[in-house]
Amino acid sequence: MIINHPILGPRDANEFVYKGDADLLNRPNWTPNASIDDFHDYLYLRENPAGKHKELWYHEQGDRSWLIVTRDTRTHEIYKVEFVRDFLARQVK
């Protein structure tokens, strides 16, 4: 599989480490009144969709950047690759 890095261009997936579902970025806020159930669900309950999905990838053998790769889990077709920081900046707005 080839991942088109936003700066470095097309790179072999062997340079990257898959780190899981991009929903991990939506961590519950920690406060003294936080629900233990929210953290339980965050840590242990995961979707495993077939189809288009956002994933976290770490460019370990390159510039050590964190990326969100949107790809189809059935065909491995990649639709979009972006830096996590850019993705999160859009979420704040």
Side-chain angles (χ1 to χ4, degrees):
M1 184 169 72
I2 301 296
I3 296 175
N4 193 17
H5 190 283
I7 294 175
L8 304 175
R11 313 302 295 177
D12 191 283
N14 290 325
E15 294 183 12
F16 298 84
V17 177
Y18 172 75
K19 292 294 193 175
D21 186 340
D23 280 341
L24 292 172
L25 297 172
N26 299 322
R27 182 177 180 189
N29 289 327
W30 177 255
T31 64
N33 299 325
S35 168
I36 194 80
D37 292 333
D38 290 343
F39 277 94
H40 174 272
D41 294 352
Y42 170 78
L43 290 172
Y44 299 109
L45 300 181
R46 301 270 196 265
E47 295 290 325
N48 191 15
K52 201 170 183 180
H53 185 62
K54 290 186 185 315
E55 303 170 330
L56 286 172
W57 288 76
Y58 177 63
H59 196 194
E60 183 176 61
Q61 302 297 318
D63 67 345
R64 301 188 187 280
S65 58
W66 284 88
L67 304 173
I68 293 183
V69 176
T70 304
R71 74 177 181 100
D72 191 313
T73 59
R74 295 169 294 193
T75 64
H76 299 293
E77 178 182 358
I78 295 177
Y79 299 99
K80 185 175 185 178
V81 179
E82 61 187 317
F83 290 113
V84 168
R85 68 173 182 252
D86 297 339
F87 175 81
L88 292 175
R90 281 198 324 276
Q91 302 301 316
V92 173
K93 293 181 181 179

